[in-house]
Amino acid sequence: MLAETCPHNNLLPHSSNFCNNMVHSVPNMSSTTVNDDDFDVRQSSFSAYDPNRLSAEGSPTMLSPWNQSSPFNKSPWYKFDDDVPKNIPQNGLIGSLVREEGHIYSLAAKNDILYTGSDSKNIRVWKDMKEFAAFKSNSGLVKAIIISGEKIFTGHQDGKVRIWKVQSKNPSNHKRAGSLPTFFDIFKASIKPSNYVEVKRNRTALWIKHCDAISCLSMDHTQGLLYSASWDRTFKVWRVDNSKCLESVKAHDDAVNSVVASVDGIVYTGSADGTVKVWKRESVGKSVNHVFVQTLLNQECAVTALAVNKTGSVVYCGSSDGVVNFWEREKQLSHGGVLTGHKLAVLCLAVAGNLVFSGSADKNIIVWKRDGSVHTCLSILTGHNGPVKCLAVEEDKESTGSERKWVVYSGSLDKSVKVWSVSEMAPNLHHMAMNNGQEDVSWDSIPSAKYSSDGPSI
């Protein structure tokens, strides 16, 4: 497994061959000299770091077409041409949240409140793009955050899920409300030998405990169930109201990098073993069981991110080869096509309305607009100096029926969070090129224009 061989395993989704994709790009993640303290790594004979080398020098990313001048005379990649009417919606940067204390690994947003988790012990709370509050955990590297009512759940490198509660009299005050599993449940379960399962050769652990880093959290709000995925190859199911672990599923042959709870009791998991699996929840009384349904994908490169739209009709999967696959549930989860715009691994995905957001190790966020099975590359959000590790999306207060707008938060290994405004009505790259008078655009020089199950089309 990667845990013994890859020095990037605590920075990025687990992958048995992720190093092959990242060996030349990881040293160039920020605009400052790389220090050993920036990376929580395990011992390995492999090293790709030169502490005396500035990150931008000679980077394959900097030398790639992504960072060269655009093929358009007046580039539409960063701002609109002066001749474009000013009433056309613009997709762009609103601001940056920077606090030099660690790389950003997790985000969660609700009602204009943003929670950020990093490889420091602090979880920070932001309101109106200003720091509003902060609270500290006992373990660093907050790898996942999810909000449910007045509770905030955080998943950590030490395999624990911690629970925090917002104080109603003082919303800036967050109190520790417990952890999953609870100390009492651990004590109670430890008495019975049957509660121990083999997790590695000659090593056993309680089935209610994760024995490796938590990579992802997902919530089924209608059922009050929390899902935690881990590098220990399992996902676990928790009942939120009593903090009980209902089930532990040995889901994959390698680390589980993502879990997503969808509608009708369907759950998707993606793993470093290169597979995406579908599970169906079956409830009998108080017991909950997740039954394996099918494997959507089986490939050599790691699955690094999953996302499902609100209605559960489309499932998206990001991989360490930079590709996004998708499946359509209305067509019995048949493969709908691929989105190929990134040059390095896709590390995070988010879906809002008709838009899909993919963040990558190439430092960019691509905004895709879905129309049926066709996905159009709407915008490319550039500005991060390191891999984009996490995304969160909220509907903009100014959003209307005629123009849906979204506030997009992106967390990066450059230690910053950027805030973007994105409109579904913004013209795509093809239209913007036409506005600039470029009729014979070389589409090979920019990311995908449109992709359907039949491949690219203009």
Side-chain angles (χ1 to χ4, degrees):
M1 285 182 62
L2 181 70
E4 286 78 27
T5 61
C6 178
H8 314 136
N9 58 1
N10 289 338
L11 293 174
L12 300 163
H14 211 303
S15 167
S16 296
N17 52 8
F18 197 85
C19 287
N20 294 332
N21 294 325
M22 295 298 295
V23 59
H24 298 300
S25 57
V26 170
N28 306 300
M29 286 196 289
S30 68
S31 58
T32 57
T33 303
V34 176
N35 297 315
D36 291 340
D37 293 340
D38 290 337
F39 302 95
D40 179 14
V41 299
R42 303 182 187 182
Q43 293 297 318
S44 170
S45 59
F46 175 90
S47 176
Y49 304 116
D50 180 354
N52 298 313
R53 176 184 176 189
L54 290 177
S55 63
E57 292 178 359
S59 165
T61 305
M62 296 302 292
L63 297 175
S64 76
W66 290 77
N67 285 287
Q68 306 304 309
S69 59
S70 169
F72 309 113
N73 289 336
K74 296 179 180 178
S75 170
W77 289 60
Y78 301 98
K79 62 182 180 180
F80 285 77
D81 185 82
D82 292 337
D83 297 331
V84 176
K86 299 304 180 185
N87 60 351
I88 292 182
Q90 299 187 21
N91 293 345
L93 185 67
I94 300 175
S96 296
L97 313 178
V98 182
R99 188 172 181 114
E100 293 287 340
E101 66 175 5
H103 302 301
I104 307 298
Y105 285 89
S106 52
L107 297 171
K110 184 178 180 180
N111 300 330
D112 297 325
I113 299 290
L114 176 70
Y115 291 85
T116 62
S118 69
D119 50 9
S120 74
K121 293 184 178 182
N122 295 313
I123 296 126
R124 302 212 169 264
V125 191
W126 308 81
K127 186 175 182 179
D128 298 325
M129 290 194 285
K130 295 179 181 177
E131 187 169 342
F132 178 65
F135 49 100
K136 182 178 286 189
S137 69
N138 293 329
S139 169
L141 210 48
V142 184
K143 305 198 73 166
I145 305 176
I146 200 163
I147 305 169
S148 177
E150 293 184 345
K151 290 182 178 178
I152 296 93
F153 298 87
T154 54
H156 298 258
Q157 181 77 18
D158 64 4
K160 290 183 180 179
V161 177
R162 291 172 172 82
I163 309 171
W164 313 85
K165 194 167 183 180
V166 182
Q167 302 301 295
S168 55
K169 293 182 179 179
N170 183 7
S172 66
N173 193 5
H174 295 70
K175 292 290 186 181
R176 172 84 175 270
S179 60
L180 302 178
T182 66
F183 176 79
F184 178 76
D185 285 341
I186 293 173
F187 175 75
K188 186 178 177 181
S190 64
I191 298 173
K192 274 182 147 187
S194 60
N195 285 326
Y196 288 85
V197 295
E198 185 176 357
V199 291
K200 287 184 179 179
R201 277 184 196 171
N202 303 320
R203 182 186 166 191
T204 60
L206 291 174
W207 70 270
I208 63 173
K209 290 178 64 177
H210 281 299
C211 60
D212 206 336
I214 289 177
S215 57
C216 184
L217 297 173
S218 185
M219 179 76 75
D220 186 330
H221 293 279
T222 60
Q223 299 296 318
L225 298 177
L226 177 72
Y227 292 81
S228 59
S230 171
W231 287 357
D232 65 10
R233 308 181 184 189
T234 73
F235 72 86
K236 300 189 191 297
V237 189
W238 311 84
R239 192 171 297 285
V240 171
D241 59 5
N242 62 10
S243 298
K244 297 293 183 183
C245 185
L246 303 179
E247 187 183 13
S248 178
V249 180
K250 170 65 168 62
H252 291 273
D253 295 328
D254 206 336
V256 184
N257 286 328
S258 187
V259 61
V260 177
S262 185
V263 297
D264 300 329
I266 299 296
V267 176
Y268 302 93
T269 56
S271 168
D273 64 14
T275 63
V276 175
K277 293 185 179 181
V278 186
W279 309 82
K280 173 73 173 177
R281 185 180 66 246
E282 296 180 350
S283 300
V284 180
K286 292 184 178 181
S287 65
V288 172
N289 293 302
H290 287 76
V291 179
F292 171 74
V293 177
Q294 68 181 105
T295 299
L296 292 183
L297 183 68
N298 192 349
Q299 61 182 17
E300 289 187 7
C301 57
V303 172
T304 48
L306 295 175
V308 181
N309 66 345
K310 189 174 182 180
T311 62
S313 61
V314 188
V315 186
Y316 297 90
C317 158
S319 303
S320 61
D321 59 359
V323 170
V324 177
N325 285 271
F326 68 94
W327 296 263
E328 297 167 296
R329 193 177 176 205
E330 295 167 357
K331 299 178 182 177
Q332 287 73 50
L333 285 173
S334 63
H335 188 252
V338 295
L339 312 179
T340 55
H342 290 292
K343 298 299 182 183
L344 294 173
V346 174
L347 301 181
C348 50
L349 293 169
V351 184
N354 294 317
L355 300 183
V356 183
F357 305 88
S358 55
S360 169
D362 64 21
K363 309 176 187 177
N364 298 320
I365 302 150
I366 297 184
V367 184
W368 309 89
K369 186 174 182 179
R370 182 176 71 89
D371 183 8
S373 295
V374 177
H375 290 70
T376 304
C377 183
L378 192 67
S379 301
I380 301 170
L381 308 179
T382 63
H384 278 296
N385 293 319
V388 180
K389 185 66 181 67
C390 47
L391 292 166
V393 186
E394 269 201 303
E395 189 161 6
D396 196 310
K397 289 179 179 178
E398 298 178 1
S399 180
T400 63
S402 59
E403 183 194 351
R404 298 188 75 182
K405 296 176 66 177
W406 306 92
V407 177
V408 182
Y409 303 95
S410 58
S412 169
L413 302 189
D414 64 8
K415 303 183 180 181
S416 79
V417 175
K418 294 196 181 296
V419 189
W420 315 83
S421 176
V422 176
S423 169
E424 293 190 10
M425 299 300 292
N428 61 46
L429 290 179
H430 180 69
H431 292 151
M432 295 169 77
M434 295 306 103
N435 286 333
N436 280 320
Q438 301 296 314
E439 296 184 1
D440 55 346
V441 176
S442 172
W443 290 101
D444 291 337
S445 62
I446 67 171
S448 310
K450 292 183 180 180
Y451 275 82
S452 66
S453 55
D454 299 324
S457 60
I458 300 299

